[in-house]
Amino acid sequence: MNLIKKSLHDHNSCRQKVMEAAKLYCEEKNLKLTPVREAVLNMLLNEHQALGAYEILEGLRISGFSAQPPVAYRALNFLKDIGFVHKIEQLNSYIACYHPDTTHSPVFLICQSCNDITEKSIDRHEDEFNLLANETGFEITNLVLEAKGTCQACLASA
Amino acid sequence: MNLIKKSLHDHNSCRQKVMEAAKLYCEEKNLKLTPVREAVLNMLLNEHQALGAYEILEGLRISGFSAQPPVAYRALNFLKDIGFVHKIEQLNSYIACYHPDTTHSPVFLICQSCNDITEKSIDRHEDEFNLLANETGFEITNLVLEAKGTCQACLASA
DNA sequence: TCATTAATGTTATAACATAACATGTTGGCA
DNA sequence: TGCCAACATGTTATGTTATAACATTAATGA
């Protein structure tokens, strides 16, 4: 697994920072980061990896929340809409965003060997996709950019 | 719908061209384009849009093939592996590729209004994603590049 | 011909996701 | 305060997408 990578940053403080940012964002926009929503975001921040909706659901059950599928999906969709969670389409799973903002599009590098997911980002409005879309007059509302493959660590240890 | 777009090219000949290419490819690689596989590719080429696996399955049933889910999924995965079909991850559906080759990565523009899907392509090895992956030593085996939004025609008629 | 591999058939079930409606909670305003 | 409206949650049921596992059949080639 990706022990090296994970030790490279202070996970605890990064987690708290994002949670604070989410709270602030919701306050500003008059949205509610309710207990369920906060629990889901917290779980994803803790895991620091992609989780399926039913794993989230199991976590909610353990924490004493109602645990029918819609509960998890509603929270995930809320967090996705405000940009603090992304869906990894190729894995049907969800991951916390550690640098939410509106000027970048997330790019995910998914390692098939260690399951680690790295989030990169590219400039919105200047990237190839937007250029390509602009050429044909297509207006983008959502970009999914995902690469599956093998990460450096796994390549090295192979 | 996208009547204009569709009339812009000779759909029939393009369909046949791709089918020929698939046959040739399989011959060269010693792979078998069996009746089920050909039927699936043909269905996708005819529709000229993304179909769900269970729609494919229904088509197979009508054509007299066995119609349990694995039959459709196996054929789709075979065609995907050889690059003649792509999966649209955001729609959980499958679409024929009209210009299969190994030097480009497909990019899909998915119109939420008319459901039309446009396949574009970008240069492999020179695009931003590969550059981004290279920086970190990540080796890509599969790229998913999909944009959801509104196409020019729909924007104009809105 | 017979062993091997590839493909297909078939049953069952896993995994992912939402519709629809009931109930509770919150905040504003008459 | 009492009521309404909007939002959030609870709950049941079901829809949709996908695969595991094993049996059977077809093609290939020593």
Side-chain angles (χ1 to χ4, degrees), chain A residues 87 89-92 107 109-112 116 118 120-123 126-129 132-133 135-153 155, chain B residues 87 89-92 107 109-112 116 118 120-123 126-129 132-133 135-153 155:
Chain A
K87 180 175 183 185
E89 294 287 347
Q90 288 185 84
L91 302 178
N92 294 317
V107 178
L109 304 179
I110 306 162
C111 179
Q112 288 171 311
D116 187 53
T118 305
K120 297 277 181 184
S121 64
I122 55 168
D123 254 344
E126 288 185 25
D127 64 275
E128 283 179 88
F129 304 98
L132 202 144
E135 277 174 26
T136 56
F138 189 94
E139 193 177 283
I140 295 177
T141 57
N142 185 43
L143 254 182
V144 171
L145 309 174
E146 300 175 5
K148 244 189 195 163
T150 314
C151 73
Q152 190 172 37
L155 283 171
Chain B
K87 180 175 182 185
E89 294 288 347
Q90 288 186 83
L91 302 179
N92 294 316
V107 177
L109 303 179
I110 307 161
C111 179
Q112 289 171 311
D116 186 54
T118 306
K120 297 277 181 182
S121 64
I122 55 169
D123 254 343
E126 288 184 24
D127 63 275
E128 284 179 85
F129 306 94
L132 203 144
E135 277 173 26
T136 57
F138 189 95
E139 192 176 285
I140 295 176
T141 57
N142 186 42
L143 254 183
V144 171
L145 309 173
E146 300 176 3
K148 242 188 197 164
T150 314
C151 73
Q152 189 171 40
L155 283 173

Side-chain angles (χ1 to χ4, degrees), chain B residues 36-102:
Chain B
V36 198
R37 292 167 177 173
E38 186 171 340
V40 170
L41 180 54
N42 202 45
M43 207 180 313
L44 286 169
L45 287 169
N46 270 320
E47 291 299 328
H48 213 291
Q49 61 169 310
L51 296 176
Y54 282 73
E55 290 178 278
I56 297 282
L57 202 54
E58 181 54 23
L60 289 176
R61 173 172 295 125
I62 291 168
S63 305
F65 291 93
S66 168
Q68 298 305 317
V71 175
Y73 283 103
R74 283 169 186 150
L76 287 169
N77 287 330
F78 172 85
L79 294 167
K80 190 155 75 78
D81 289 343
I82 64 172
F84 283 82
V85 163
H86 298 298
K87 180 175 182 185
I88 308 294
E89 294 288 347
Q90 288 186 83
L91 302 179
N92 294 316
S93 62
Y94 303 83
I95 194 165
C97 178
Y98 287 87
H99 40 78
D101 68 57
T102 54

